[in-house]
Amino acid sequence: MSYRPTVEDFREALGARARVSVSIRRTRRLMALAAVCMVVAVVLSWVGDDSVDPPVVVMALVFPLVLMGQTRMQARSFHRLAAAKGEQRIVVDESGVTVATEQGSSTVTWQAAPRYAETPRLFVLLSGDKNVSGITLLPKHGTSRAGDTDRLRALLDQRASRVGETVVSPGPPGS
């Protein structure tokens, strides 16, 4: 499998990770609660004495926007790092996953990535810790031959536990 990562690949991978990670779900809930509290503070300030402190209004408007754009910003950041390494060549076999770039290679064993999630564009290998500190992307658009996506899914089912809802989409043409 060979491909160049896209921002959308990372956005989907981070979304899959967030659905599994305890700390990310907790952080998102706390940030949403903080945003609601800020909006309530603005409303109460406005209703109470017909004046609202400009910094409070700005924070109440900006904070929810940052909250909504957080995954997109992280995806862009990860993409910049990955794009600098060039094309990625991925080999998935019985021992694990090896990702090679122009700058080097790394191998992730099945013990290090005992879970995976499937999104419309990719498979995401996930580390076994509750915060999912490690992810490895296996984009479906990186497969080249008919049936590669199905074979990859079968191998992942043998070696890792599927988490979350499976979202199956057609692979590349002819798969």
Side-chain angles (χ1 to χ4, degrees):
M1 167 183 322
S2 180
Y3 84 107
R4 290 193 180 273
T6 66
V7 173
E8 186 61 22
D9 291 337
F10 285 102
R11 190 194 64 73
E12 278 192 26
L14 290 169
R17 177 181 177 244
R19 286 187 288 279
V20 178
S21 172
V22 173
S23 65
I24 292 174
R25 287 194 315 266
R26 181 178 40 240
T27 299
R28 284 187 173 174
R29 283 192 298 264
L30 289 173
M31 289 177 72
L33 178 63
V36 168
C37 288
M38 278 192 252
V39 169
V40 168
V42 167
V43 170
L44 290 176
S45 177
W46 181 65
V47 169
D49 63 5
D50 292 333
S51 68
V52 180
D53 295 328
V56 174
V57 172
V58 170
M59 285 179 57
L61 294 174
V62 171
F63 193 76
L65 293 175
V66 170
L67 180 63
M68 290 185 303
Q70 179 183 16
T71 300
R72 187 79 155 144
M73 290 184 291
Q74 286 179 324
R76 287 182 182 279
S77 180
F78 283 129
H79 176 257
R80 277 192 298 276
L81 292 170
K85 295 179 181 179
E87 183 177 57
Q88 296 188 4
R89 294 167 306 285
I90 302 172
V91 176
V92 181
D93 58 25
E94 298 298 320
S95 62
V97 177
T98 300
V99 179
T101 67
E102 296 166 3
Q103 297 179 353
S105 67
S106 63
T107 299
V108 178
T109 64
W110 294 116
Q111 292 81 13
R115 308 179 284 177
Y116 83 94
E118 183 175 357
T119 72
R121 298 170 50 93
L122 46 89
F123 297 99
V124 184
L125 295 180
L126 306 162
S127 62
D129 59 299
K130 69 179 182 176
N131 293 324
V132 191
S133 58
I135 62 174
T136 303
L137 284 63
L138 303 173
K140 294 175 184 178
H141 60 89
T143 60
S144 58
R145 293 181 300 186
D148 280 353
T149 301
D150 292 331
R151 282 190 289 277
L152 180 56
R153 185 180 298 111
L155 179 60
L156 292 173
D157 283 336
Q158 288 175 354
R159 296 293 176 181
S161 299
R162 191 183 314 216
V163 296
E165 184 177 317
T166 299
V167 182
V168 179
S169 67
S175 67

